[in-house]
């Protein structure tokens, strides 16, 4: 269906006619407007202008273009059932430890999170997703939305250390709980991914999890990191635990307090299995929503007006030349 975004701008259509007639009531029939001195004498304009229809057509096309014509497609119904999932991702400095294997290559932890979580987001048709990034503090990168593509893009653009090198787990939980306060009908699920322990922030994880429990927010905590990492030294290959800083007891307490679950992700396969468990969460019913896709069409009248101006300019240059050629004959 054809529509105009700003139809009230069509009142500008008779404006040239009003300007044309107004000088007749003024002394001398002169209209003094800055920048249009050549059009002051309307009687002279009427006699010299041999194509008034072209000027009117150009004006009409320009007005229609600024009124923003649009083509509205058929209404598309959005899913009426889904989950509300807020994902909180740790961007502290330890996320750059390369103890994960992805596609037969050793990569850092955050690269694995980006890959697996992006796949998880892609499968969330009908769900509302939000993204929190935390380090020294917690920041809302994307509110709960059904625009999965934008959420995945925000995660892709995130970088380790973007919000500091420490780990404010309590602040991330508190921010997620605050965002759910605006949702009346929601299953309120927060997925928290971290590879360390809380070492900064304005609120402790235990305090934040108790608040979350009172607000009916379920937290699924995921501990990231391998158990063993082989390092080459002057004395040979040494095996170390790269996840020594991971506070599993704290993550378990957070999950238990909010009636959620704690998961351990030592590799990408573990992370995939965790998200399959989250897929089993019962979706909630929502009020039916729909939207109509729209396509902008303003460039059509604008393009036609520019084309007519170009043709008029070419014609005005060719006609005098042909007249001189005719007189020479």
């Amino acid at each position: 269906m054809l529509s105009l975004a700003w139809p009230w701008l069509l009142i500008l259509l008779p404006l040239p006619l009003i300007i044309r007639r107004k000088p007749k009531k003024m002394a001398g029939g002169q209209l003094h407007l800055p920048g249009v001195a050549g059009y002051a004498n309307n009687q002279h304009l009427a006699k010299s202008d041999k194509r008034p229809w072209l000027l009117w057509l150009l004006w009409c096309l320009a007005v229609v273009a600024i009124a923003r014509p649009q083509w509205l497609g058929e209404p598309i119904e959005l899913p009426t059932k889904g989950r509300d999932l807020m994902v909180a991702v740790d961007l502290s400095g330890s996320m750059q430890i390369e103890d994960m294997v992805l596609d037969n290559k050793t990569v850092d932890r955050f690269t694995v999170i980006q890959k697996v979580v992006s796949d998880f987001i892609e499968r969330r048709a009908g769900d509302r997703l939000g993204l929190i990034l935390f380090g020294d503090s917690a920041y809302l990168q994307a509110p709960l939305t059904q625009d999965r593509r934008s959420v995945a893009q925000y995660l892709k653009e995130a970088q380790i250390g973007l919000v500091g090198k420490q780990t404010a787990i309590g602040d991330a939980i508190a921010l997620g709980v605050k965002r759910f306060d605006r949702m009346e009908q929601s299953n309120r699920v927060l997925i928290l991914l971290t590879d360390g322990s809380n070492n900064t922030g304005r609120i402790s994880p235990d305090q934040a999890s108790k608040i979350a429990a009172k607000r009916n927010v379920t937290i699924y905590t995921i501990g990231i990191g391998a158990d063993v990492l082989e390092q080459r030294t002057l004395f040979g290959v040494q095996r170390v635990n790269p996840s020594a800083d991971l506070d599993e007891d704290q993550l378990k307490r957070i999950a238990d307090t909010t009636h959620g679950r704690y998961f351990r992700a030592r590799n990408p396969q573990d992370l995939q299995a965790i998200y399959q468990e989250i897929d089993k969460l019962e979706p909630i019913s929502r009020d039916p929503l729909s939207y109509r896709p729209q396509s902008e069409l303003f460039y059509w009248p604008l393009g036609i007006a520019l084309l007519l101006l170009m043709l008029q300019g070419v014609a005005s240059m060719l006609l005098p030349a042909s007249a001189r050629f005719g007189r020479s004959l």
Side-chain angles (χ1 to χ4, degrees):
M1 180 180 71
L2 189 62
S3 176
L4 293 175
W6 302 326
W8 53 271
L9 287 176
L10 295 181
I11 63 176
L12 297 176
L13 286 174
L15 185 60
L17 183 61
I18 296 173
I19 295 177
R20 246 177 116 89
R21 291 184 176 181
K22 187 175 181 180
K24 293 181 180 181
K25 300 179 181 180
M26 301 174 61
Q30 298 294 322
L31 175 63
H32 300 283
L33 293 175
V36 290
Y39 293 91
N41 194 324
N42 291 280
Q43 293 180 352
H44 175 72
L45 178 62
K47 293 178 181 179
S48 61
D49 186 11
K50 298 180 181 180
R51 294 183 296 275
W53 61 269
L54 181 59
L55 297 178
W56 276 105
L57 180 58
L58 291 174
W59 174 255
C60 292
L61 289 171
V63 171
V64 171
I66 63 175
R68 285 185 59 195
Q70 300 173 335
W71 180 262
L72 299 180
E74 293 298 323
I76 298 177
E77 297 291 335
L78 295 176
T80 57
K81 288 187 177 182
R83 307 167 185 84
D84 289 340
L85 306 173
M86 186 69 74
V87 182
V89 178
D90 185 356
L91 290 185
S92 60
S94 56
M95 277 291 181
Q96 63 187 352
I97 297 177
E98 297 183 353
D99 61 348
M100 295 282 192
V101 177
L102 182 65
D103 297 331
N104 297 322
K105 295 181 180 178
T106 302
V107 297
D108 59 75
R109 298 167 177 176
F110 184 61
T111 298
V112 171
I113 289 178
Q114 284 180 308
K115 175 63 171 65
V116 178
V117 175
S118 295
D119 294 342
F120 173 75
I121 292 173
E122 184 64 28
R123 299 197 305 267
R124 303 270 62 80
D127 293 347
R128 287 186 295 201
L129 292 166
L131 179 63
I132 293 174
L133 303 177
F134 66 96
D136 292 347
S137 300
Y139 299 90
L140 180 68
Q141 193 70 5
L144 286 169
T145 176
Q146 289 185 324
D147 187 359
R148 294 172 292 159
R149 182 178 299 178
S150 295
V151 177
Q153 184 64 29
Y154 290 144
L155 180 61
K156 181 180 179 181
E157 294 173 353
Q159 297 180 359
I160 299 174
L162 180 66
V163 289
K165 296 184 178 181
Q166 300 188 72
T167 310
I169 295 176
D171 287 3
I173 295 174
L175 181 57
V177 172
K178 183 178 180 180
R179 301 306 302 182
F180 281 122
D181 282 345
R182 303 180 181 181
M183 304 294 172
E184 294 182 0
Q185 293 183 344
S186 172
N187 41 17
R188 302 189 176 203
V189 175
L190 173 64
I191 304 171
L192 184 114
L193 300 99
T194 183
D195 66 344
S197 59
N198 187 83
N199 52 23
T200 188
R202 293 172 294 181
I203 184 172
S204 70
D206 291 331
Q207 291 174 322
S209 59
K210 291 177 181 178
I211 296 174
K214 292 180 180 179
R215 306 288 178 85
N216 298 320
V217 177
T218 303
I219 303 177
Y220 291 83
T221 55
I222 302 175
I224 307 294
D227 288 332
V228 178
L229 177 64
E230 294 184 351
Q231 294 180 336
R232 295 185 180 276
T233 65
L234 295 175
F235 304 99
V237 178
Q238 184 179 2
R239 296 165 66 90
V240 298
N241 179 12
S243 300
D245 293 334
L246 180 62
D247 192 344
E248 292 192 80
D249 291 337
Q250 186 178 73
L251 295 179
K252 290 177 182 177
R253 287 198 307 271
I254 294 172
D256 292 340
T257 302
T258 59
H259 306 288
R261 287 184 61 187
Y262 168 69
F263 300 94
R264 184 73 166 88
R266 297 173 176 84
N267 51 60
Q269 292 72 29
D270 288 345
L271 204 53
Q272 289 280 9
I274 293 168
Y275 287 131
Q276 290 175 3
E277 288 294 321
I278 296 175
D279 286 343
K280 299 177 183 179
L281 290 174
E282 185 69 22
I284 60 171
S285 298
R286 301 194 186 102
D287 294 333
L289 296 174
S290 65
Y291 77 98
R292 301 186 69 168
Q294 61 183 35
S295 301
E296 296 288 344
L297 301 177
F298 69 90
Y299 50 84
W300 283 104
L302 188 61
I304 295 173
L306 293 175
L307 180 60
L308 290 176
L309 279 175
M310 292 176 59
L311 293 177
Q312 183 188 27
V314 172
S316 62
M317 289 188 296
L318 293 179
L319 286 178
S322 62
R324 290 195 300 269
F325 178 74
R327 286 196 300 269
S328 64
L329 294 177

